[in-house]
Amino acid sequence: MTDPGDKRPSTIHEVARLAGVSHTTVSRYLQDKDSLKPKTRIKVEYAVKALDYRPNLVARSMRTRRTNRLAIVLAAGPHFPGRQLAAASEIAHQAGYQVDIVSVEGGPRARSARIEDLARSGQIDGILAISSIDLKGAKRLGIPIVRSESHDEKLHVLGQLAGASEVREIIEYLSSLGHRTFFHVAGDQEFASARNRKNVYLETIERLGLRSVGVVDGDWSGQSGFDAITALPADCGVTAVVAANDVIAMGVIRGARSRGWDVPGDLSVFGWDDEDMGRFATPSLSTVAVDREAQGRDAIYRLLAEINGQPAPEPSVLTVNHVIHRESTAPPPQADGRSEAQ
């Protein structure tokens, strides 16, 4: 008697017959499903699920001399790109790849050294670097290496995700409400996005003739926001804070409240990333919505295209950031309206 658990695995040819397409079309679906027409993609997707088809990675590796493994390299620390990683990994798995997540202590040079080790190991088909790296001569390593940064090494903007226009928009909006004295808690300056937002903050403050009580280089943590706001003098006069991410912003709000400052009555706070915690906080956090999932998908599609010798795909239009106004921002208080907690 045959054990149902011993059922023979489905083949790519069986998937093709059920979908009514060629086996090369099924192969294209496994490599990049978005390369197919929607109707064809739906038919192949149905057949794959109906037959519970699993690509034979060992056979493919022997045939193509590939390992069917990708590495995603990121910086160790509190700034963990979970949404971006999840989206990138999902696309890689759909294309038949296993994914190794490599977290590296140290700066760009340490990550670059680890990337060189991975590239020379012969066990990886391609590498995606989510955080900044300092890698020259990547082509000599023999495998595709893609960076998801939106700036080059000189901070020239490479895409729509640079954050400059959003910082300008935030400050211009707060200024229109009547705010004149600002404070910026920046992210880790190792990251191009943090450096660029800091520069644009300073440029915009100067251009609009506003006052800044300072810039603190944080580390993406809530503690850095808490420490920065509680360290300000009682008479600093700040009424608006631009934080480098939502976690820092939540730390700023907690620190402000520990001083007896109301948000947004005494202090308006803007974050960045549109994380769930900010949406459901009290008050809900004004922020910049960033499609991290689209960033992850776009980056892994670029890597897959390089592996397969194809032109780089156009970036997703969904990756454009947009500013969201919520309860943590309001017009500034009247003069002498704030009292320092004893």
Side-chain angles (χ1 to χ4, degrees):
M1 184 174 180
T2 303
D3 185 341
D6 293 336
K7 180 182 176 182
R8 176 182 59 82
S10 301
T11 68
I12 193 171
H13 295 280
E14 290 171 334
V15 173
R17 281 196 296 271
L18 181 58
V21 299
S22 68
H23 74 276
T24 56
T25 298
V26 177
S27 180
R28 282 178 56 202
Y29 169 87
L30 297 172
Q31 292 291 332
D32 181 6
K33 65 180 181 180
D34 290 335
S35 66
L36 302 180
K37 294 180 179 178
K39 289 183 179 180
T40 304
R41 184 174 68 244
I42 290 171
K43 290 192 294 184
V44 176
E45 194 168 72
Y46 169 79
V48 167
K49 291 181 179 178
L51 295 174
D52 192 25
Y53 175 69
R54 309 292 176 87
N56 188 331
L57 300 183
V58 174
R60 183 193 296 182
S61 178
M62 293 176 64
R63 184 173 64 255
T64 63
R65 294 187 178 181
R66 292 180 180 174
T67 65
N68 298 108
R69 289 175 62 196
L70 305 178
I72 300 180
V73 176
L74 62 147
H79 180 60
F80 186 77
R83 290 162 51 194
Q84 195 173 351
L85 273 177
S89 297
E90 180 183 6
I91 297 302
H93 292 152
Q94 290 174 356
Y97 286 90
Q98 298 179 29
V99 178
D100 295 338
I101 309 298
V102 183
S103 176
V104 182
E105 298 279 354
R109 289 187 179 180
R111 287 190 291 277
S112 300
R114 185 73 179 100
I115 285 173
E116 289 198 35
D117 290 342
L118 289 168
R120 292 194 172 101
S121 71
Q123 299 177 3
I124 299 293
D125 291 335
I127 299 172
L128 170 62
I130 282 188
S131 52
S132 57
I133 58 176
D134 182 16
L135 188 64
K136 298 178 177 63
K139 291 184 179 180
R140 62 182 168 76
L141 296 177
I143 67 170
I145 299 172
V146 165
R147 310 176 193 184
S148 66
E149 289 282 334
S150 54
H151 302 75
D152 64 16
E153 293 303 315
K154 295 183 179 180
L155 297 186
H156 297 151
V157 178
L158 298 178
Q160 295 174 309
L161 300 174
S165 62
E166 289 79 23
V167 172
R168 292 191 185 100
E169 183 180 343
I170 288 168
I171 296 175
E172 288 170 354
Y173 167 73
L174 291 169
S175 175
S176 74
L177 294 180
H179 291 277
R180 293 294 177 268
T181 304
F182 289 73
F183 183 51
H184 179 46
V185 188
D188 186 341
Q189 294 301 292
E190 178 186 309
F191 290 80
S193 57
R195 298 193 300 270
N196 195 49
R197 291 171 201 168
K198 175 180 175 179
N199 290 338
V200 174
Y201 167 84
L202 294 171
E203 292 167 4
T204 306
I205 291 292
E206 182 178 2
R207 176 174 60 84
L208 297 179
L210 303 171
R211 173 174 174 253
S212 174
V213 300
V215 174
V216 171
D217 293 340
D219 59 6
W220 305 112
S221 71
Q223 188 67 51
S224 67
F226 182 93
D227 292 343
I229 200 71
T230 54
L232 289 176
D235 60 352
C236 65
V238 64
T239 64
V241 176
V242 180
N245 71 358
D246 289 349
V247 179
I248 293 174
M250 297 303 292
V252 168
I253 292 173
R254 182 68 184 85
R257 286 181 168 174
S258 75
R259 303 187 65 159
W261 296 355
D262 179 69
V263 177
D266 295 318
L267 188 72
S268 287
V269 180
F270 243 100
W272 193 289
D273 280 334
D274 192 24
E275 300 288 359
D276 280 346
M277 64 176 179
R279 300 179 196 179
F280 298 104
T282 303
S284 58
L285 183 63
S286 295
T287 187
V288 177
V290 180
D291 194 338
R292 298 295 184 194
E293 291 78 9
Q295 288 182 7
R297 289 191 295 268
D298 287 348
I300 210 71
Y301 279 138
R302 284 168 51 206
L303 181 58
L304 292 174
E306 284 203 30
I307 290 172
N308 295 317
Q310 300 169 345
E314 290 294 321
S316 170
V317 295
L318 297 177
T319 57
V320 179
N321 301 337
H322 62 278
V323 176
I324 298 177
H325 306 289
R326 294 199 180 109
E327 298 170 345
S328 66
T329 49
Q334 296 295 323
D336 302 325
R338 174 194 296 161
S339 62
E340 180 73 9
Q342 300 299 319

